């Protein structure tokens, strides 16, 4: 796989594909109110195309919705939720996993709390605590949450999604080793005030791709060039990375395995 050389932002190999086109339309916003009344979905239904994206806002959920959301979680998820020290982090986790169960319930036509979920082996140690997957063939999903936002992706092929709040200047300085050499060079050429947004764009693209691969951060994020500019620039055959429109203060991306 050819990669751009550090220090030459516009010098791309002649055989490299052009940058990816602009990202998909904004994700559908989820209304999680009334969860207790729709735990049995009328489905199943077919996926609406190669990718479905859903967005949920943690801060708009009232206490009744949060309680209902927690009731959808399984024993392991509830234990993880209880482990959070701060209410905001706990609420974000609960909303994220309830949102995932809600959209999968509607897709598969099963009760949200009875979804056929399993765990893949861990990509690092092989233990039974890897990423969650469906036992149902032909449906892949990915989940991410940060701050007040939750993002869910559904697809018929392996998919990864990531959303993050904009990095601070200090975080950018401390995470240079996560960048491909060409990305680090791009960042160094930018004015200081533009670097946090550029770094965050690159980071969510990397996280989405690594989630799609199933490795997560077990694979060194510095290995893959995704670009820090306005458009993703992953050049890995068989994968497509797109930025996802999300509210100001955040960045998001989705990676999808393509035929």
């Amino acid at each position: 796989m050819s990669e751009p050389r550090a220090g030459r932002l516009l010098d791309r190999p002649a055989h490299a594909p052009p940058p990816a086109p602009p990202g998909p339309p904004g994700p559908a916003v989820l209304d999680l109110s009334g969860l207790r009344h729709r735990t049995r979905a009328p489905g199943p239904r077919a996926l609406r195309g190669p990718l479905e994206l859903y967005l949920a806002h943690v801060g708009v959920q009232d206490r009744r919705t949060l309680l209902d959301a927690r009731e959808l979680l399984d024993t392991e998820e509830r234990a993880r939720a209880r482990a959070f020290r701060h209410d905001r982090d706990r609420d974000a986790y609960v909303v994220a996993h309830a949102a995932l169960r809600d959209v999968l319930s509607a897709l598969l036509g099963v009760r949200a709390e009875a979804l056929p979920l399993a765990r893949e082996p861990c990509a690092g140690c092989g233990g039974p605590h890897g990423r969650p997957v469906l036992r149902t063939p032909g449906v892949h999903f990915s989940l991410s949450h940060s701050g007040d936002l939750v993002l869910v992706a559904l697809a018929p092929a392996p998919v990864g999604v990531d959303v993050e709040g904009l990095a601070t200047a200090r975080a950018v300085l401390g995470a240079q080793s996560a960048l491909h050499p060409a990305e680090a060079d791009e960042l160094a050429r930018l004015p200081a005030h533009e670097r946090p947004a550029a770094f965050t764009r690159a980071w969510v693209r990397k996280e989405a791709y690594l989630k799609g691969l199933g490795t997560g951060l077990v694979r060194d994020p510095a290995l893959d060039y995704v670009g820090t500019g306005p458009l993703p620039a992953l050049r890995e055959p068989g994968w497509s990375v797109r930025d996802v429109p999300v509210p100001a203060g955040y960045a998001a991306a989705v990676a999808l395995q393509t035929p």
Side-chain angles (χ1 to χ4, degrees):
M1 176 177 67
S2 298
E3 296 169 328
R5 290 168 285 178
R8 299 293 298 277
L9 301 187
L10 300 180
D11 183 12
R12 296 189 175 90
H15 61 278
V29 177
L30 290 173
D31 177 7
L32 297 179
S33 61
L35 279 173
R36 65 188 183 278
H37 299 305
R38 63 177 194 261
T39 54
R40 184 179 296 279
R45 65 167 178 81
L47 283 163
R48 303 184 184 103
L51 179 66
E52 295 183 17
L53 290 172
Y54 299 91
L55 184 72
H57 294 264
V58 177
V60 303
Q61 312 302 330
D62 59 26
R63 183 51 48 182
R64 179 72 259 174
T65 298
L66 290 172
L67 291 173
D68 290 342
R70 189 175 60 185
E71 291 302 310
L72 298 189
L73 307 188
D74 62 22
T75 302
E76 179 186 353
E77 289 168 328
R78 293 183 192 183
R80 287 175 179 262
R82 288 193 298 270
F84 286 99
R85 296 178 56 188
H86 301 292
D87 290 345
R88 180 181 178 184
D89 296 333
R90 184 182 305 111
D91 290 348
Y93 179 90
V94 169
V95 169
H97 286 257
L100 173 65
R101 287 177 173 274
D102 190 41
V103 297
L104 288 176
S105 172
L107 178 71
L108 300 179
V110 300
R111 294 177 63 88
E113 64 270 36
L115 286 165
L117 293 173
R119 289 273 181 179
E120 288 187 335
C122 172
C125 67
H129 50 262
R131 65 176 178 177
V133 293
L134 280 170
R135 295 189 183 94
T136 304
V139 178
H140 299 260
F141 66 86
S142 184
L143 170 68
S144 179
H145 58 93
S146 177
D148 193 51
L149 295 186
V150 171
L151 197 58
V152 177
L154 306 180
V159 63
V161 72
D162 192 52
V163 59
E164 302 284 348
L166 291 184
T168 63
R170 177 178 294 185
V172 173
L173 288 175
Q176 295 292 310
S177 62
L179 296 176
H180 184 277
E183 293 163 346
D185 187 71
E186 291 175 10
L187 213 62
R189 291 170 179 257
L190 290 175
H193 70 277
E194 294 183 12
R195 291 172 189 167
F199 173 84
T200 311
R201 283 195 297 266
W203 183 254
V204 296
R205 295 165 186 169
K206 288 176 182 290
E207 279 259 39
Y209 175 54
L210 297 181
K211 285 183 177 181
L213 286 179
T215 65
L217 294 176
V218 171
R219 177 180 172 87
D220 183 357
L223 293 175
D224 304 296
Y225 176 79
V226 296
T228 65
L231 296 177
L234 179 70
R235 297 180 178 86
E236 185 64 34
W239 283 91
S240 172
V241 174
R242 301 286 186 269
D243 290 342
V244 177
V246 288
Y250 294 86
V254 60
L256 182 65
Q257 190 177 67
T258 56

